[in-house]
């Protein structure tokens, strides 16, 4: 009886009233209790390629573009105007469907220290006075003129915004949206959502529903939309399937199915904010985050199966590169600090990305590119102490194939953003070619076949990747994998040589001091010989090494010093905090100097990113257990001081 009474009350509360004549959008008078969620806002990261094999499917490339676009949307409005319109402080995740594949939430009208940090980090990264202004293009719908924040959004925009996707299919416009927002490219007339585009919606908290409704009406009219309704809620949609509506004080713009999802949630359907996994991950996220991105590989797999007759390749598969089979929430935390230069004090800042993952079960596979594995941190400590690039990898046999595919997909995304086929420099080199050449042997080692698992994965322990040397003459780089079975890893040298020959490489025997088996391979895209060897390090541990020349193999087996006790590793651990030990270290100035030295700084596949790379100092990464089946992988990105 009590349940029936409550059900009738709920129905009355959510039942939309008959709209007044002339009203074309719809709002409710009250905000349902399920929308009075946390005011905190967190966010993601965003984040590669290889081989003579074809590029990943368009949907796979679009997935990563989408994740990056959703992450950057979190900062799109953060520095655009005043914070005088806080809105309802309602969490848009309470309006997003529980089955969302990807969701990004952000504080778009930050105040106090958060606003200061967001602006400082944005200015340091882009060297623009208003670093987020051009990201307003993500809201530019068909027929609309360029938006002006003060005129078009400030009068009604609330504190929070969200974006969700219910499918990774049809998201082909997302790369161009990402290019416009991040690189300043042009994608005029392109809107991410619609009948033939992404399925989902942008959900904006409002401070003034009348002004928000006026904005939606204006945008809908310019798009040629007509009025219609769903479950008694009026909205507008154009011929391209772009829908505009006001639901429970939220301004919604997206695909028609996406707007339908929001209306269904308002009528009592399952909301993302109410799911246990999302709530658990959000509760663990840093409270000072500006934005966050949540991904649900299980939902992506189910959606892909429905749309592709059971296949999960492409879009759903690409999600697994981020967090394996686990649900993940990636938070973006900006910070502002100060530094000094010869001219006096300058502004310094940094960005931190916390990728928190939640295992779906006690035996669920972990991983993804951001796995918190203690073996990775230990492996980094064994790499040469002078390394400017160092990556520690744990349980390589189980993760190498996925990591190689991740590099393949990220590289393909870079090509998509810069447009057109990769070009070579005057020296015949290209960044794409180098990546292709380096990933080819990794792909063979991590192939998901019975033969590869027996010949390679069976003996692999932890591993590491390093690069050292400030110029071409001093450059050393290698992949070193610890062997758990010396006989098998020694035989793997010849086995990999055979696979590379089949892939078109030229392979010949080699003699390298300190090794028991070695070959030299010439792989398309690499201007130098790749030496493949198996030998012992100074502690007697057998290691399998892929090195750029004999000197790199020697450095991998017997480095003069290691990162374990280096100042570089100590500084990285301090930046990460929380007791996290680094498994990733990058020094960007040295990396850019080497690109410049070989004439690749103007390579089309990287030239657009160079101004941003010049704004970076260092990157440190590492992970730890959070408890309750959760792990955190943190990336701490240092930014060049403004004016420094």
């Amino acid at each position: 009886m009590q349940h029936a009474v409550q059900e009738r009350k709920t129905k009355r509360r959510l039942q939309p009233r008959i709209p007044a004549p002339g009203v074309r959008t719809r709002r409710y008078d009250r905000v349902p209790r399920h929308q009075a969620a946390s005011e905190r806002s967190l966010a993601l990261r965003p984040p590669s390629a290889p081989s003579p094999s074809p590029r990943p499917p368009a949907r796979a490339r679009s997935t990563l573009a989408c994740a990056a676009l959703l992450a950057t949307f979190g900062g799109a409005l953060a520095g655009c105007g005043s914070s005088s319109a806080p809105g309802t402080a309602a969490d848009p995740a309470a309006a997003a469907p529980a089955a969302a594949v990807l969701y990004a939430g952000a504080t778009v009208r930050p105040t106090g220290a958060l606003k200061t940090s967001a602006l400082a980090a944005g200015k340091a990264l882009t060297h623009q006075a208003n670093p987020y202004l051009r990201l307003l293009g993500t809201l530019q719908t068909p027929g609309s003129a360029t938006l002006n924040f003060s005129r078009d959004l400030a009068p009604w925009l609330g504190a929070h915004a969200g974006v969700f996707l219910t499918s990774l299919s049809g998201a082909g416009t997302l790369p161009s949206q990402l290019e416009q927002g991040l690189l300043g490219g042009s994608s005029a007339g392109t809107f991410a959502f619609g009948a033939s585009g992404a399925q989902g919606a942008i959900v904006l908290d409002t401070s003034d529903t009348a002004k928000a409704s006026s904005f939606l009406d204006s945008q809908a009219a310019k798009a040629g939309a007509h009025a219609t309704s769903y479950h008694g809620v009026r909205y507008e949609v154009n011929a391209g399937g772009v829908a505009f509506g006001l639901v429970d004080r939220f301004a919604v713009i997206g695909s028609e199915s996406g707007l339908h999802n929001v209306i269904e949630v308002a009528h009592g359907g399952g909301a993302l904010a109410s799911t246990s996994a999302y709530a658990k991950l959000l509760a663990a996220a840093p409270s000072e985050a500006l934005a966050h991105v949540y991904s649900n590989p299980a939902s992506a797999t189910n959606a892909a199966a429905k749309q592709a007759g059971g296949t999960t390749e492409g879009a759903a598969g690409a999600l697994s590169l981020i967090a394996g089979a686990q649900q993940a929430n990636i938070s973006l935390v900006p910070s502002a600090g100060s530094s000094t230069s010869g001219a006096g004090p300058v502004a310094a800042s940094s960005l931190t990305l916390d990728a928190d993952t939640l295992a779906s079960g006690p035996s669920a596979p972990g991983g993804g590119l951001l796995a918190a594995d203690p073996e990775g941190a230990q492996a980094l400590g064994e790499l040469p102490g002078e390394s400017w690039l160092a990556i520690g990898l744990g349980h390589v046999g189980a993760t190498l194939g996925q990591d190689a595919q991740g590099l393949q997909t990220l590289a393909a995304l870079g090509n998509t953003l810069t447009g057109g086929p990769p070009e070579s420099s005057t020296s015949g080199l290209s960044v794409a070619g180098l990546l292709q050449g380096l990933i080819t042997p990794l792909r063979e080692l991590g192939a998901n076949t019975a033969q590869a698992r027996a010949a390679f994965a069976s003996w692999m322990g932890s591993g590491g990747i390093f690069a050292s040397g400030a110029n071409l003459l001093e450059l050393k780089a290698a992949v070193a994998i610890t062997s758990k079975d010396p006989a098998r890893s020694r035989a793997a040298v010849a086995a990999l040589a055979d696979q590379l020959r089949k892939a078109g490489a030229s392979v010949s025997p080699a003699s390298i001091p300190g090794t028991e088996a070695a070959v030299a391979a010439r792989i398309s895209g690499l201007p130098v010989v790749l030496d493949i060897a198996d030998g012992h390090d100074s502690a007697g541990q057998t290691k399998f090494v892929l090195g750029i020349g004999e000197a790199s193999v020697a450095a991998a087996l017997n480095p003069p010093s290691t990162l374990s006790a280096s100042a570089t590793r100590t500084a990285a651990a301090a930046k990460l905090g929380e007791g996290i030990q680094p498994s990733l270290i990058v020094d960007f100035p040295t990396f850019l100097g080497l690109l410049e030295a070989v004439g690749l700084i103007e390579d089309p596949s990287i030239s657009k990113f160079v101004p941003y790379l010049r704004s970076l100092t260092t990157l440190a990464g590492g992970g730890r257990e959070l408890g309750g089946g959760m792990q955190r992988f943190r990336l701490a990105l240092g930014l060049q001081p403004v004016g420094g």
Side-chain angles (χ1 to χ4, degrees):
M1 177 68 177
Q2 186 176 11
H3 174 75
V5 171
Q6 180 60 44
E7 183 177 9
R8 288 196 296 272
K9 289 181 178 179
T10 301
K11 288 183 177 179
R12 286 199 299 270
R13 177 167 54 84
L14 290 174
Q15 181 64 38
R17 297 179 300 171
I18 301 299
V23 176
R24 298 195 299 175
T25 54
R26 181 66 189 155
R27 61 178 178 265
Y28 297 103
D29 290 333
R30 299 173 61 185
V31 178
R33 283 173 292 180
H34 67 257
Q35 290 182 326
S38 168
E39 295 185 23
R40 293 166 45 192
S41 180
L42 321 147
L44 163 110
R45 86 209 217 340
S48 323
S51 101
S53 62
R55 293 169 64 187
R59 285 188 298 166
R61 301 195 302 272
S62 297
T63 300
L64 294 180
C66 171
L69 175 63
L70 296 186
T72 57
F73 180 83
L77 308 175
C80 291
S82 70
S83 56
S84 58
T88 64
D91 183 1
V101 172
L102 282 176
Y103 173 81
T107 299
V108 293
R109 306 297 292 273
T111 60
L114 182 58
K115 181 175 182 178
T116 300
S117 297
L119 283 171
K123 289 177 180 178
L125 186 60
T126 67
H127 297 283
Q128 297 179 19
N130 197 328
Y132 304 107
L133 189 60
R134 65 189 179 199
L135 287 171
L136 285 175
T138 59
L139 288 173
Q140 190 169 336
T141 49
S144 173
T146 301
L147 295 176
N148 178 282
F149 180 82
S150 298
R151 179 193 67 219
D152 299 317
L153 299 174
W156 59 267
L157 182 66
H160 302 304
V163 189
F164 70 86
L165 290 181
T166 56
S167 169
L168 298 174
S169 173
T173 61
L174 289 170
S176 61
Q177 287 280 319
L178 178 60
E179 180 179 0
Q180 179 191 32
L182 292 181
L183 308 179
S186 175
S187 59
T190 300
F191 183 63
F193 299 93
S196 59
Q199 299 304 299
I202 299 170
V203 183
L204 305 169
D205 181 25
T206 63
S207 60
D208 188 318
T209 54
K211 292 179 179 178
S213 180
S214 177
F215 171 79
L216 292 171
D217 283 348
S218 174
Q219 294 296 98
K222 293 173 183 176
H226 64 275
T228 185
S229 65
Y230 183 70
H231 288 328
V233 178
R234 296 289 299 277
Y235 66 92
E236 296 181 76
V237 62
N238 75 351
V242 179
F244 308 79
L246 193 65
V247 183
D248 278 354
R249 296 186 64 90
F250 286 114
V252 183
I253 308 174
S255 67
E256 188 169 20
S257 66
L259 192 143
H260 286 181
N261 290 138
V262 176
I263 294 173
E264 288 167 357
V265 171
H267 277 71
L272 178 62
S274 301
T275 63
S276 58
Y278 178 86
K280 186 173 184 178
L281 285 166
L282 207 66
S287 59
E288 65 274 22
L290 175 69
H292 74 105
V293 173
Y294 166 82
S295 70
N296 187 347
S299 290
T301 299
N302 293 336
K306 291 179 181 179
Q307 295 163 6
T311 179
T312 59
E313 68 172 357
L319 265 184
S320 68
L321 303 178
I322 300 172
Q326 305 174 105
Q327 296 182 70
N329 185 66
I330 307 174
S331 304
L332 174 66
V333 182
S335 63
S338 61
S339 183
T340 58
S341 67
V346 293
S349 58
S350 63
L351 289 172
T352 299
L353 288 169
D354 278 359
D356 298 339
T357 57
L358 176 63
S360 57
S363 61
L369 295 176
L370 305 181
D373 191 334
E375 280 195 10
Q378 182 177 348
L380 179 137
E382 299 174 5
L383 297 175
E386 69 274 14
S387 300
W388 53 264
L389 166 67
I391 305 173
L393 303 170
H395 301 90
V396 176
T399 63
L400 184 58
Q402 182 172 288
D403 291 341
Q405 182 59 46
L407 293 174
Q408 174 83 46
T409 305
L410 291 177
L413 174 60
N415 292 338
T416 299
L417 291 177
T418 51
E423 300 177 15
S424 299
S425 67
T426 55
S427 63
L429 297 178
S430 72
V431 172
L434 289 171
L435 284 173
Q436 179 75 28
L438 291 171
I439 295 170
T440 295
L442 297 181
R443 190 185 64 255
E444 298 295 343
L445 287 171
N448 187 24
T449 65
Q451 179 183 357
R453 288 191 293 271
F456 307 128
S458 61
W459 52 263
M460 292 181 179
S462 60
I465 302 172
F466 78 89
S468 64
N471 56 58
L472 286 177
L473 294 178
E474 300 173 350
L475 179 63
K476 301 180 185 69
V479 178
I481 304 173
T482 299
S483 172
K484 297 183 292 185
D485 187 327
R488 283 180 176 267
S489 62
R490 186 165 56 249
V493 173
L496 180 57
D498 288 341
Q499 293 302 111
L500 292 177
R501 285 192 188 95
K502 294 176 182 177
S506 173
V507 183
S508 59
S511 178
I512 301 176
T515 66
E516 297 180 5
V519 297
R522 294 189 176 276
I523 300 173
S524 176
L526 291 181
V528 295
V529 171
L530 179 70
D531 285 314
I532 304 168
D534 187 74
H536 296 86
D537 63 15
S538 56
Q541 172 66 58
T542 299
K543 289 186 176 179
F544 183 92
V545 181
L546 307 173
I548 304 298
E550 292 186 15
S552 297
V553 175
L557 293 175
N558 296 292
S561 64
T562 64
L563 284 170
S564 59
S566 70
T568 299
R569 186 172 184 270
T570 300
K575 289 180 180 178
L576 292 170
E578 295 187 6
I580 296 174
Q581 295 303 308
S583 58
L584 168 66
I585 295 174
V586 183
D587 180 83
F588 286 101
T590 304
F591 169 62
L592 287 172
L594 284 167
L595 284 180
E596 202 158 17
V598 296
L600 287 178
I601 209 73
E602 299 299 328
D603 185 295
S605 61
I606 197 173
S607 58
K608 284 190 176 182
F609 299 97
V610 168
Y612 300 92
L613 293 174
R614 292 196 189 282
S615 300
L616 311 180
T617 56
T618 59
L619 175 66
R624 72 179 183 92
E625 296 286 339
L626 295 178
M630 292 189 293
Q631 291 184 331
R632 168 168 295 165
F633 192 94
R634 171 169 290 177
L635 292 169
L637 186 65
L639 302 175
Q640 294 283 4
V642 176

